[in-house]
Each structure stands twice: as structure tokens, then as C-alpha cells.
Amino acid sequence: MPRIPEETLQQVLAATDIVDLVGRAVKLRRAGANFVGLCPFHTEKSPSFNVRPSTNSYHCFGCGAGGNAFRFLMENDGLTFMEAVKRLADAANIRIEDEVWDANAEEAAKRKALMIRAHRELAAWYHQLLMKHRIADEARAYLKSRGISPAVAKNWQIGYAPASTPMLRQWAAPFKFGQELLLEAGILGKGDEDSQPYPRFRNRLMFPIRNDNGDVIAFSGRLLDPEAKTAKYLNTTETPLFNKSKVLFGFDKSKRAISKADQAIVCEGQIDTIMLYEAGFQNVVAGQGTAFTEFHARALKRHTDEVVLCYDSDNAGYKAAERAFQVLAPAGLIVKVAVLPLGEDPDSVIRKQGAEAFATLLKGAQDFVDYQLASVGPRRNLTEIRERLQFAREMAENVKLFDTPLAQETTIQRVAGKLGIPAEMMRDLVSKTRKQPSVRTNKGGESENTGQEILAAQDTRSNALCKMALTDAQILAWLRQTGREEILRDLPGTELLSLVWRGTFDPLDSNAFNVFLAGLDRDQEAALTQLLFQPALSGGLAEAEEALCSLEMASMQLLQQRLETQLKNPALTPEDTATLLHEIMDLRVRFKAAQRSLAPASASH
């Protein structure tokens, strides 16, 4: 963990209104002293996501996500811990000195800053080549054929990557960008360990990809040689700056327009996005040649409730629209589809028919289910009952994704009417496809432990004592003074209690507790936050002593079992056997004494 003083972290958390922070991404409503809303980290129909101002924390009872303001930014915005601290500190005008970072964090921050500078300088160089150098004649001719003027190229800093490797080296030399940095940034590529690095982008039209702040963090290059046997579009590989599943092309320019229009237009490519934006449709974005992700959906949801998909009208476009719907709808977004003429894309519609024609298409955008029903005719023979039922099953998979019962029921009625099947049958199909709330997934698509498994794996007595210690300062102070922490050393299911026991935070200071949480890994933080949100336990110090005594007895039983297992070893010497027997007898005496001390307390309950 970075060496930022705990006092500074507490100051940042104290200056952050967690309700306001979370409320920018989640629609919250007051529920007593807390606030509730739909969880941004998993799909749910009724709100189980809670924000508690009194502890400056959040917790989802559905998926188990939880933590403080730092954790929310890390999970929701994909930031590192240091980036989250910096963002909140900047918002609160709290200065964080670079020298208080640890060496690794400081080095990583400097390296990322250098990569951003390399991308900024490279984008400017690519653009200069496009606008003025004779080697970019072909690129300029292509832009002209697509109706992209020099002014538009300048506005988007479109560039040209030369085929010549020496030219890139000559560019890099004055800046002293080392080969390792350019490889890590994805500007250079390398086949294997023994091969020489080469420019990743050669003889391509270059589109800078920017983060939300407008910094160039990657590139997308369009092939200019139609005879070349390689991908038409090539993106920067994933780097410390760039993850294509978390970036929308043009979002840095369009996010304000999206908020103003309360609608986002989503295209398939950079040129479509650029031409729509320049034609006055500034609420437009595009993916990065990959399927829509939950991160994309959350980014759009922060600015609007409605998305209009503008994909090609062929079968591939239909499939892409369906995949996008299946990610966008669970995020609570209304998904519509603007049906383009066959063989046309947004750019060609505007060039051939003008902006008014595209505006008409946009106005006539259909709700996704209506689009799906209208599109089925050419692809399926619905005169056969088997085909109708198969299509109904496919529709049910999408209907279940709507975020309100009313939207689901209305859609069920429409689909059943269109397919000529009873509405009750359609309801049954939807019911069968409905699943429990999904957990978060990592980049590889595998389920991640959100803290629930850790909490479920804990000893119930340990959880009870941990809950008491977190909510009663007297109990935590007593626990830390007992000197009996060795009880937990080999006892499984006491890991969370051990973390709290060893902690040095002031239990009366919620910000100090949140700083303590920030030093744990995500799953531990989520598990402790979930425990904190559970109903308060009755009782006080006497119940805590009883719980600790019970854990001590469990520890003694476990140790006795291990000693008895060792006794079965035929290689033991008589002296070893005598020692083990003595230890076992001692444990039995201590266990009976603990039982006697526990019995009166149990009887009083």
C-alpha cells in the first residue's frame, strides 16, 4: 500500500460525501438513515445496494460488493488505489505530496505519465505527417473520398503512420523515449524474445483514442493498402494505459452532449462517430472493435437512460445489436435501434442523403424488442410452431433482462401477440430463464469472489465476535488488551476477526476504520463491510468474553486432534509418546476448566 499518511487518507475520506459520490453513478433514494439503489456491480431488479452516510461506506446485499469511497472509485471507474485517492483529494483541494508515495507507486505513476507524453507527442507527429508530408498522399486521398475535410482531421487529430521503421526511431530519439517504454506502451511490437522491435502501426490512417480526460492513451489504425493481408483495423494492445473493454471512442468529446440530449448514439466505427459528431449529432460514441462490456454500460448510464444503436442492417449487425442489448438493458438503459438502409452506415447516409435523413432514422428508432420482432421475418420461418417456440425461447432470454416488472410484462404481451402463442406460455419461458443475480466477473470472464464466500467460510462465533468488536469500541479495546490472539493462529474461519484484532484503527473514528479497510484486499474489504451492514447483535462485553472462550475451546479441540493423530505415528520414541500424552492431558484439563467457566454464562442466557 502506498505510504500516504493515515491522517491524509482520513482527511480525504472525511471531505468526501459518499452519498454524493455514489449518487453520480447510482440513482439513490433515502431509506431511513441510509440510501438504497440498484447495484452498479451486478444485475438486479429490486434495490439491494445500500449507502450508509454514518460510516461513509456502501454494501450490496445481493452480490456482496462493499467498501468506502476509495473502493467505489476503484470498482466503478476502474482506478488504482492511488488514482482514486488522488481524484478525491483533488476534488477536496487536499494536496498529496509525491514524496509520500512508496517507491513502486511513484515509479509506476512516473512511467504512466511518460507513456501519456509519448502518446501525445506521437499523435501530434502522426497528424503532422498526414497534413503536410508527401508520404501521406494516399491517406489524404482516402479521407477526401470519405468526405473528411482537413478541418475535421484537425479537430480529431487524425494522423498517418508511415511504413518506414527508421522514421519512427528518428521521431523518438529527441524525446529519449526508450525502447522498453515504447514496447510497454504498445507503440512498438515484438514477435519473440530474439526478434527486433518494429512499429506496431505501419502505413495506416491513425485515430487517437483518448481517456475521459482527453489524454491520448492508444491508437486505432485503418489499413490503407487494400491488397495487404492483415486486419483492416488494428488497435493498440492492452497496456497500463489502455483496456479496450473500458474505453469508448469519442466519449471525452461527447459525454456532455449525451447528458444534455439524455441519449447516446452508438456506432460501430471511428469514421461513423466522427462524421455524425461533425454533422451535429454530438452525443455519439463507438466501441473499440469489441463487444460492449458492463464497464461501457455503466459509463453511459452515468450520463443517460437511453441508447440508440446504429449498426449495419445485415446479420452481423443484428447479432452485434443483440449482444449490446444484453449488456445495456441490465444496466437499466432503454435500448433502441435505428434501422439503416441495407448496405449503408451512418456516414454514408449523411453523405448521400444529408443530416436530416439521419435525424429521421434516429427519430424512428425502435425499441430493441420491436426491432427484433420486425427483423425475424427474413431469417426465420415462423409459420412452423417449432420455429415460433424456438424464437420465443430466444426472446425470453432478452425479456428477462428488463429492469422492471412492468417493462417485462408489457414486452411479454407484445412478443406473445406477434408470435401467436399464449401470454402465459411466454411468461413461463421468461420465468424459466430467470436466474439469480450474477456476480462480478474479471477480464477473463471468470466469477470473482466478492467477499460473500469469505464471510460464509468464517466460523459463526468468530463472525459474531468480529461484529461486536466493529460496533462496540469497548469490546474492541478489551480484545486488543487480552493478549490471547494466539487462539486464532491455527483456527480456520477466524481470518476476518484476526484482521480486526491486529488492526490499530480507532473504533470511534469511521474514517480511521475506512482507511484500515483500504489497506486490505478487495474481497476482505467487501466481507467486513457486509458484516458491518448485518443487523446489530444484542449483548455486550459478557457475550464477547463468552464468544472468545468458545473459540478458545474450539482451538484446544483442534490442537488435541492433531496431537492424537501424531500419536499414531509408529516411528515415535517412548519419550516423544510420553510428551504428546502429557500435552493431551493438559489440554483436556484446560478444556474442562473452560467448559465450567462457560456454563454459568450460558445458563444465564
Side-chain angles (χ1 to χ4, degrees):
M1 181 178 173
R3 288 199 306 260
I4 298 178
E6 286 197 8
E7 295 79 7
T8 304
L9 294 175
Q10 291 176 27
Q11 186 183 2
V12 172
L13 286 172
T16 301
D17 183 342
I18 196 165
V19 175
D20 178 64
L21 178 70
V22 174
R24 298 172 200 168
V26 180
K27 187 175 181 180
L28 298 173
R29 61 175 176 81
R30 183 176 286 278
N34 300 333
F35 290 80
V36 298
L38 295 175
C39 181
F41 304 122
H42 84 286
T43 302
E44 62 178 5
K45 306 300 182 185
S46 55
S48 59
F49 185 82
N50 279 247
V51 179
R52 180 178 288 180
S54 62
T55 59
N56 242 352
S57 62
Y58 68 91
H59 170 67
C60 177
F61 289 96
C63 71
N68 56 28
F70 298 145
R71 179 63 61 186
F72 186 81
L73 282 182
M74 291 165 70
E75 294 295 297
N76 194 64
D77 291 13
L79 304 183
T80 65
F81 175 77
M82 286 304 305
E83 288 168 341
V85 173
K86 187 75 165 58
R87 181 178 292 186
L88 293 179
D90 287 346
N93 291 319
I94 297 172
R95 182 175 175 80
I96 295 180
E97 300 291 346
D98 287 351
E99 57 265 26
V100 301
W101 296 24
D102 69 12
N104 291 335
E106 184 176 7
E107 178 59 30
K110 285 181 178 178
R111 199 154 183 83
K112 287 178 76 172
L114 195 56
M115 281 189 218
I116 287 176
R117 184 185 169 212
H119 279 87
R120 181 174 66 246
E121 298 292 351
L122 186 57
W125 183 63
Y126 282 154
H127 181 65
Q128 192 74 3
L129 290 179
L130 175 71
M131 301 300 281
K132 296 184 176 182
H133 205 289
R134 59 181 176 79
I135 63 170
D137 287 346
E138 185 182 6
R140 287 192 292 271
Y142 175 79
L143 288 180
K144 187 176 180 180
S145 73
R146 296 297 300 262
I148 299 177
S149 68
V152 172
K154 183 178 180 181
N155 189 28
W156 292 81
Q157 207 177 18
I158 300 172
Y160 171 73
S164 168
T165 297
M167 286 188 72
L168 184 68
R169 289 178 181 155
Q170 289 168 14
W171 160 78
F175 299 108
K176 297 183 179 178
F177 295 136
Q179 183 172 286
E180 281 189 19
L181 180 84
L182 297 180
L183 280 167
E184 188 178 4
I187 294 167
L188 292 179
K190 197 173 183 181
D192 53 53
E193 287 296 324
D194 298 324
S195 62
Q196 286 296 314
Y198 59 87
R200 179 168 174 78
F201 301 99
R202 289 169 287 181
N203 194 28
R204 287 180 181 267
L205 192 67
M206 301 299 289
F207 299 93
I209 299 171
R210 302 174 186 273
N211 61 19
D212 289 3
N213 297 325
D215 300 317
V216 180
I217 57 172
F219 293 96
S220 180
R222 190 199 188 281
L223 193 66
L224 290 170
D225 181 3
E227 301 300 320
K229 300 189 182 304
T230 185
K232 181 190 281 189
Y233 279 93
L234 182 67
N235 285 336
T236 298
T237 55
E238 292 202 0
T239 72
L241 297 180
F242 176 62
N243 182 331
K244 64 183 179 181
S245 67
K246 294 183 177 181
V247 180
L248 289 166
F249 180 78
F251 192 56
D252 60 301
K253 287 180 177 288
S254 66
K255 56 187 177 182
R256 290 184 182 177
I258 290 172
S259 295
K260 186 176 180 180
D262 196 18
Q263 182 190 75
I265 304 168
V266 176
C267 297
E268 290 188 89
Q270 286 95 354
I271 291 181
D272 285 334
T273 302
I274 290 170
M275 297 311 288
L276 280 181
Y277 187 95
E278 295 296 333
F281 304 94
Q282 296 188 345
N283 53 321
V284 61
V285 294
Q288 299 293 343
T290 184
F292 249 75
T293 66
E294 290 183 10
F295 193 94
H296 293 144
R298 292 201 302 270
L300 292 174
K301 181 63 177 175
R302 287 196 289 271
H303 296 274
T304 184
D305 291 321
E306 181 176 290
V307 171
V308 180
L309 304 175
C310 294
Y311 293 168
D312 292 346
S313 293
D314 55 13
N315 192 55
Y318 174 86
K319 291 293 186 184
E322 185 174 41
R323 288 193 298 269
F325 169 82
Q326 290 168 351
V327 174
L328 295 168
L333 287 157
I334 298 167
V335 183
K336 295 184 176 181
V337 179
V339 181
L340 303 174
L342 195 61
E344 304 289 351
D345 54 33
D347 168 43
S348 64
V349 169
I350 288 175
R351 282 191 288 115
K352 294 176 182 179
Q353 303 176 45
E356 297 79 9
F358 183 80
T360 301
L361 289 175
L362 205 59
K363 190 174 181 180
Q366 299 174 300
D367 283 333
F368 177 79
V369 170
D370 291 330
Y371 160 77
Q372 196 174 23
L373 289 169
S375 301
V376 70
R379 298 183 300 106
R380 307 289 280 270
N381 180 12
L382 295 185
T383 60
E384 295 184 8
I385 184 63
R386 183 179 297 175
E387 278 287 295
R388 290 208 303 275
L389 288 176
Q390 178 57 33
F391 184 62
R393 291 188 189 97
E394 293 174 14
M395 292 292 293
E397 291 285 344
N398 291 334
V399 171
K400 74 176 183 183
L401 299 175
F402 285 101
D403 62 340
T404 66
L406 178 61
Q408 282 194 8
E409 180 58 30
T410 303
T411 308
I412 285 170
Q413 296 283 351
R414 293 209 315 270
V415 173
K418 172 72 175 179
L419 298 181
I421 62 174
E424 188 57 41
M425 179 184 290
M426 192 66 203
R427 283 191 204 96
D428 184 55
L429 289 174
V430 173
S431 178
K432 286 178 179 178
T433 62
R434 194 175 289 121
K435 298 177 181 179
Q436 294 298 319
S438 58
V439 298
R440 291 171 292 171
T441 58
N442 58 26
K443 287 191 292 185
E446 298 176 354
S447 294
E448 290 185 347
N449 187 330
T450 59
Q452 286 181 312
E453 291 181 12
I454 289 180
L455 195 60
Q458 299 298 291
D459 183 284
T460 54
R461 297 160 296 188
S462 177
N463 273 349
L465 183 54
C466 189
K467 172 72 176 180
M468 293 181 212
L470 287 175
T471 53
D472 189 324
Q474 182 187 7
I475 290 175
L476 182 55
W478 161 78
L479 196 61
R480 289 171 175 170
Q481 293 169 2
T482 59
R484 296 159 67 188
E485 190 182 345
E486 77 283 349
I487 291 171
L488 310 182
R489 186 179 58 194
D490 298 315
L491 190 61
T494 61
E495 292 80 13
L496 293 181
L497 175 59
S498 183
L499 286 172
V500 172
W501 196 330
R502 293 198 312 267
T504 58
F505 59 89
D506 180 355
L508 297 176
D509 186 341
S510 63
N511 290 320
F513 175 64
N514 276 314
V515 169
F516 158 74
L517 287 180
L520 308 179
D521 68 38
R522 182 181 68 183
D523 296 335
Q524 292 170 336
E525 180 180 3
L528 281 173
T529 305
Q530 183 174 340
L531 185 64
L532 195 63
F533 271 74
Q534 288 180 358
L537 299 174
S538 58
L541 190 56
E543 283 73 13
E545 290 175 339
E546 184 179 338
L548 184 59
C549 184
S550 181
L551 286 172
E552 188 172 22
M553 290 169 63
S555 179
M556 286 189 281
Q557 284 181 312
L558 182 64
L559 181 55
Q560 182 177 328
Q561 289 171 5
R562 290 175 180 172
L563 293 174
E564 288 173 348
T565 300
Q566 291 178 36
L567 269 179
K568 297 176 183 178
N569 185 350
L572 285 177
T573 65
E575 292 79 8
D576 290 337
T577 300
T579 300
L580 287 173
L581 286 171
H582 178 76
E583 290 180 7
I584 290 171
M585 290 300 299
D586 182 58
L587 277 172
R588 287 174 179 170
V589 170
R590 288 166 53 201
F591 184 83
K592 287 182 180 180
Q595 266 187 325
R596 287 193 295 272
S597 67
L598 194 59
S602 300
S604 66
H605 295 303

